[in-house]
Amino acid sequence: MRFVPLAAPSATRAALVTLGSVVVALLLCALVFVLAGQSPAEVYSTMLRGTLGEAGGLAEVGRRTIPLLLIGAGLALAFRAQFFNIGAEGQLLLGAVLAAGTALFVPLPGPLLLPAMFAGGFLGGGLWALLAAGLRRLNVNEILSTLMLNYVAVALVTYLIAGPWKGKDVRGYIYTDTFVPAGWLPTLGGTQVHWPTLGLGVALALGLQWLLSRSTFGYALRVVGENPGAARYAGLSSARVATLVALLTGGLAGLAGAGEVAGIHHRLLEAGQVSLGYGFTAVIVAWLARGHPALCLVTAPLMGVILAGGDLLKIDLNLPYRVVDIFSGVILLCLIAGEVFVRHRVVWGRA
Amino acid sequence: MDNALLDTLPRALAVGTPLLLACLGAILNERAGVVNLGLEGVMAVGALAAFAVAASAPDANLWLAVGAALLAGAALAGLHALATVTLRANQFVSGLALALIGTGAAGLLGKRFEGLPLFNKVPDWTVGGFALSPFTLAALGLAALLAFWLAATRTGLTLRSVGENPAAADVLGVNVGLVRVLAVLGGGALAGLAGAFLALSYRSSWADNMTAGLGWIAVALVIFVGWRPLRAVAGALFFGLLYALQFRLQGVSAVPSEVWSAMPFVLVLVVLAVAGVRGQAGDAPAALGRPYVRGER
């Protein structure tokens, strides 16, 4: 079997290969369910019925789409610049921490509180990612550094809610006091869909798409990502691009964290409850979108179905929530393994 | 103080053992040019396979359990080999996917073993007054073996040439793809063995997330020790000591426990930065992380 490079891979081919990869992934996941003694048909129908089949399920998908869209759009940009930020999980948490800190301890007039929380969220996530960008200048692979920073962020959240920020009326569980109502985002009637964050996500996904395809910075970013040698020759600093990309992509993850605490929880609580693995799932959102932030408007809800479906599997079929990791991992693996078929034609036999 | 150190040392060796085994596995595949960031997942699957075999038959031969871990580790790493060597996928992202699949599958398939005790735990050996796990001794032996094999044998040289200059190796008639696939499988088997130690020797019950980030630390350790198996022994012991001290100091000092739990990861960052500044990252095999395609470079 040989791969013959195609001169110009078409968009149709890319779409077909992506679809094929996802189908293969779902078949492989079915195999894992058989090994676990579950009927794949039951697993998939439970997921679909409970997410797309009813209004309440759709709202659950929507709720999870919000952070996935924000993080995914940022990551799409980062991956185009070959900055492999895997630490969105930690950046989201730092965003949640700064947003919660603002809500709890900064005395601001009501209307200013939410904007300040989101600004804090952006800053928290952005600075956390900047740490990784700084370390990259010391030749530390950002995949490793952003991952390690995830663990540190989790410890930081635990420390805060169990220690100095521990709420007054807390028994048993650990979390902070509840925010004042001015720090709560409105939601769509009876659901947990905090629509202002959703609007922000849509606007930012489109804005980043514009930035990537139309602005000078976007051009520099694409050159640095696609041809580092040419970028150096053209005098484009890949370190500066990486720094800006880190700030943006981390900042967006931080906004997602601010949205989660302001829109759903109204307080800071354990890391595992603030994020349901959004940081990792967003990697797939960005990869499915093939580096186009705007396409995350389609791929984020798709992965939202998987996260919401994972919750249903936990409740209805008593499966551990970790099944979501299997879905994420297998889909990601199939996507990148399928990549070769986008750019190449397969020829059987020897050269 | 003497006593404290003597108490800490066995624990340091115990935590250092899976780190060393996984690190040796990573050295094996990275010297052939393939990074596997998925060690955390491979370890988890190895631990589950070992525990499943040992727990399902109380009188089962423990060699069987170890063998299951080796096979499970190699099988999961096989997916990585298929994706990155055959299909030339991005090694870093594939490793990440592997980590997710491995920890996820171990969590799902291991659910039925949760809380089950293991009756046939691997007994420790007493060496010079110390109780040591046979896995620890095996890991030390494997480090020496790998060091010798890489440095002094023909096949070891072949493996290194594939990691340094696959095009040249190809010209000399080496099957680059095959060497890389075998190295990835071997690396996976060693990470699986690290998991077997956790399930059969370190703990004697199954719990989700048994690997607790050790796999990630092993990935970073490879860079710290400059891709050298014997240095890996010192590096693993160093991190093992830090872990052990973390447990000892947790109750004693005024520092909050979260600081101690974040410590290994902060330390990995510091260590990586130091290695980076010292230019140690330049010790990496020249073709590390890059797929080999004949006629391209």
Side-chain angles (χ1 to χ4, degrees):
Chain A
M1 187 168 98
R2 284 185 306 126
F3 296 112
V4 179
L6 291 165
S10 72
T12 327
R13 192 178 176 93
L16 281 177
V17 169
T18 305
L19 196 68
S21 301
V22 174
V23 169
V24 171
L26 292 179
L27 288 175
L28 284 175
C29 289
L31 196 71
V32 179
F33 289 121
V34 171
L35 281 176
Q38 294 282 341
S39 144
E42 196 183 350
V43 168
Y44 285 135
S45 67
T46 304
M47 286 178 79
L48 278 181
R49 226 180 316 116
T51 52
L52 301 179
E54 49 190 75
L58 274 177
E60 285 297 296
V61 174
R63 175 195 148 189
R64 286 165 180 81
T65 300
I66 297 170
L68 290 178
L69 176 61
L70 275 164
I71 305 173
L75 288 183
L77 199 73
F79 293 165
R80 283 293 276 274
Q82 301 278 319
F83 184 79
F84 289 104
N85 176 9
I86 307 302
E89 197 74 22
Q91 291 142 23
L92 179 152
L93 288 176
L94 261 287
V97 163
L98 258 68
T102 309
L104 290 170
F105 306 112
V106 183
L108 278 171
L112 286 184
L113 185 55
L114 276 171
M117 285 167 73
F118 273 84
F122 185 88
L123 211 64
L127 291 179
W128 206 240
L130 271 188
L131 264 177
L135 283 165
R136 185 157 118 144
R137 294 195 184 201
L138 305 177
N139 290 318
V140 179
N141 181 311
E142 71 274 15
I143 295 189
L144 285 177
S145 62
T146 51
L147 253 167
M148 297 296 149
L149 287 169
N150 284 345
Y151 286 96
V152 181
V154 170
L156 176 70
V157 170
T158 315
Y159 165 71
L160 285 174
I161 59 177
W165 290 12
K166 187 170 177 177
K168 287 186 281 292
D169 56 344
V170 168
R171 275 176 240 98
Y173 295 99
I174 46 171
Y175 41 77
T176 66
D177 286 330
T178 308
F179 305 159
V180 291
W184 294 27
L185 280 173
T187 53
L188 290 178
T191 70
Q192 292 189 310
V193 182
H194 37 111
W195 56 266
T197 323
L198 184 61
L200 188 67
V202 173
L204 283 172
L206 296 173
L208 289 188
Q209 184 67 51
W210 178 87
L211 189 78
L212 186 66
S213 48
R214 295 271 181 271
S215 73
T216 324
F217 172 65
Y219 178 71
L221 188 157
R222 279 180 287 140
V223 176
V224 163
E226 279 155 35
N227 197 339
R232 214 171 307 124
Y233 191 70
L236 294 170
S237 159
S238 70
R240 194 173 313 142
V241 167
T243 305
L244 275 169
V245 160
L247 186 65
L248 264 178
T249 182
L252 259 66
L255 289 179
E260 291 307 293
V261 292
I264 296 173
H265 307 296
H266 309 134
R267 58 188 166 208
L268 186 65
L269 26 69
E270 278 179 83
Q273 287 172 286
V274 176
S275 173
L276 313 167
Y278 294 131
F280 284 112
T281 314
V283 170
I284 303 158
V285 168
W287 213 276
L288 270 171
R290 298 195 167 272
H292 298 288
L295 268 186
C296 293
L297 291 169
V298 179
T299 59
L302 274 177
M303 292 311 292
V305 169
I306 293 204
L307 286 191
D311 245 9
L312 288 170
L313 294 182
K314 193 167 111 186
I315 300 162
D316 291 0
L317 301 183
N318 197 23
L319 292 178
Y321 188 71
R322 274 191 185 269
V323 291
V324 167
D325 287 348
I326 303 178
F327 275 118
S328 307
V330 173
I331 293 177
L332 188 58
L333 190 73
C334 289
L335 275 176
I336 58 166
E339 192 79 12
V340 71
F341 299 104
V342 177
R343 292 165 204 272
H344 299 81
R345 205 156 45 85
V346 179
V347 177
W348 296 96
R350 295 187 156 271
Chain B
M1 190 60 218
D2 276 356
N3 248 346
L5 200 65
L6 277 184
D7 287 349
T8 311
L9 204 60
R11 184 136 203 179
L13 277 172
V15 179
T17 298
L19 281 178
L20 178 56
L21 286 169
C23 183
L24 292 175
I27 290 175
L28 179 66
N29 50 240
E30 293 198 14
R31 278 297 190 98
V34 185
V35 183
N36 183 354
L37 293 189
L39 295 184
E40 179 83 4
V42 181
M43 264 169 86
V45 163
L48 176 68
F51 191 89
V53 169
S56 51
D59 55 346
N61 192 334
L62 285 173
W63 286 110
L64 222 59
V66 172
L70 291 170
L71 272 181
L76 188 58
L79 285 180
H80 187 57
L82 177 71
T84 63
V85 181
T86 314
L87 300 174
R88 307 171 199 167
N90 183 313
Q91 294 180 7
F92 297 98
V93 185
S94 167
L96 207 68
L98 217 61
L100 284 172
I101 296 171
T103 48
L108 175 66
L109 303 177
K111 196 172 187 297
R112 67 186 90 162
F113 299 110
E114 213 131 276
L116 276 186
L118 192 68
F119 296 110
N120 47 353
K121 187 181 167 173
V122 172
D124 283 349
W125 292 351
T126 310
V127 183
F130 277 111
L132 282 181
S133 166
F135 282 93
T136 308
L137 298 169
L140 293 172
L142 281 169
L145 204 68
L146 185 62
F148 173 79
W149 182 68
L150 282 175
T153 67
R154 200 181 173 78
T155 45
L157 177 68
T158 305
L159 179 108
R160 284 188 289 135
S161 72
V162 164
E164 294 290 345
N165 194 339
D170 191 5
V171 168
L172 292 175
V174 174
N175 185 336
V176 172
L178 181 67
V179 170
R180 286 190 163 181
V181 168
L182 290 177
V184 172
L185 292 178
L190 280 171
L193 187 62
F197 164 79
L198 289 176
L200 300 177
S201 180
Y202 188 64
R203 310 249 315 229
S204 44
S205 60
W206 172 258
D208 190 23
N209 196 24
M210 279 226 303
T211 45
L214 286 174
W216 294 111
I217 294 183
V219 169
L221 198 58
V222 186
I223 304 168
F224 181 49
V225 302
W227 293 267
R228 291 177 183 81
L230 291 181
R231 277 205 212 163
V233 175
L237 194 63
F238 174 64
F239 267 94
L241 256 173
L242 281 174
Y243 251 87
L245 282 175
Q246 165 201 328
F247 285 113
R248 273 200 74 80
L249 294 176
Q250 222 162 53
V252 185
S253 73
V255 181
S257 65
E258 288 83 16
V259 174
W260 295 116
S261 51
M263 173 98 108
F265 302 104
V266 174
L267 218 91
V268 164
L269 285 174
V270 173
V271 154
L272 287 177
V274 169
V277 171
R278 288 205 339 232
Q280 208 164 299
D283 294 349
L288 187 63
R290 287 212 291 266
Y292 174 66
V293 183
R294 186 176 282 180
E296 278 176 24
R297 49 160 302 150

